Amino acid sequence: MIITSVGIRRAVAADAAPLERLERSSRAGISDAAWGELVDWPAAFVAAGVYSYLAEADKPFGVVSIGDPKEPSAAGPGTGEVLAWYVDPDYRGQGYGRKLLVHGLSVMKRREYERALVWLPGDATLAIRSLLGLGFEELESRPLGDVTRVAFMLDLADYF
C-alpha cells in the first residue's frame, strides 16, 4: 500500500470507536492472553496522565498510548508504560509503528519518565525487532499457557 500523506496527531474521544476497531484487527490471530486486556478507549481519553496519538491517512491505522504502568509496583518509580501500540496489518513493515513508538517515547521523556516499559506477545516479531532496534532490552517473560508475554525496558536518560 502506497500512502501519500500520513499524519500523527493526538487522539480525541471521537476516535474511540475507530481505535477499538484498529485494536481488534491488529490483535487478530494472537491470543488475547498474550496481548492482555483490551483498552477501554473512552476511559483512556478521560484518564489523567494517559496520552494517545494516532497515525492516519484516510482513516486511523496506528496508535500509541502511554501513561503510568498498569502494574506500578513491578515497574518501579519513574517508569512509564506503552499502554497500547498497534498498527493495522495492511500498514505493517513500513516504519509507521516505529515512528509512532518514537513519538510516544518523546512524550514520555517530556513527561519526565526515566524508563519506558512495553509488554508484547512473544511472537510479535516485527514489533520486537523495532523495540530492539531502538535499544530496548528484554526484561521479563511470562508464559501464559501456550503463549508468552514479554516485557521490554528502555532507559530514557540519554534518549533525545
Side-chain angles (χ1 to χ4, degrees):
M1 178 169 294
I2 297 173
I3 301 173
T4 57
S5 179
V6 171
I8 294 179
R9 65 169 173 84
R10 180 108 185 242
V12 296
D15 296 314
L19 290 178
E20 287 171 2
R21 286 190 296 276
L22 170 64
E23 182 177 18
R24 289 186 189 284
S25 72
S26 297
R27 292 168 60 135
I30 298 176
S31 164
D32 279 344
W35 282 109
E37 295 178 17
L38 290 167
V39 175
D40 180 348
W41 289 106
F45 290 119
V46 296
V50 174
Y51 303 90
S52 301
Y53 300 87
L54 59 82
E56 62 185 351
D58 57 336
K59 65 176 184 165
F61 65 83
V63 64
V64 65
S65 187
I66 61 103
D68 291 333
K70 294 176 197 169
E71 299 176 28
S73 60
T79 301
E81 183 172 352
V82 175
L83 303 168
W85 179 38
Y86 298 112
V87 175
D88 183 281
D90 291 340
Y91 294 84
R92 290 185 186 153
Q94 300 176 56
Y96 297 120
R98 181 182 173 104
K99 288 178 183 179
L100 275 166
L101 182 59
V102 167
H103 190 86
L105 294 173
S106 67
V107 172
M108 281 185 172
K109 183 72 174 189
R110 287 193 312 268
R111 304 299 305 167
E112 298 183 357
Y113 287 108
E114 298 168 13
R115 287 169 302 286
L117 172 69
V118 180
W119 283 94
L120 288 175
D123 58 354
T125 54
L126 281 174
I128 290 171
R129 195 173 330 154
S130 289
L131 291 179
L132 296 175
L134 289 170
F136 279 82
E137 296 178 358
E138 186 174 329
L139 180 67
E140 174 185 349
S141 289
R142 290 187 185 170
L144 301 167
D146 61 345
V147 297
T148 302
R149 290 188 76 209
V150 184
F152 295 87
M153 185 78 76
L154 177 67
D155 186 337
L156 296 173
D158 296 325
Y159 210 71
F160 305 140

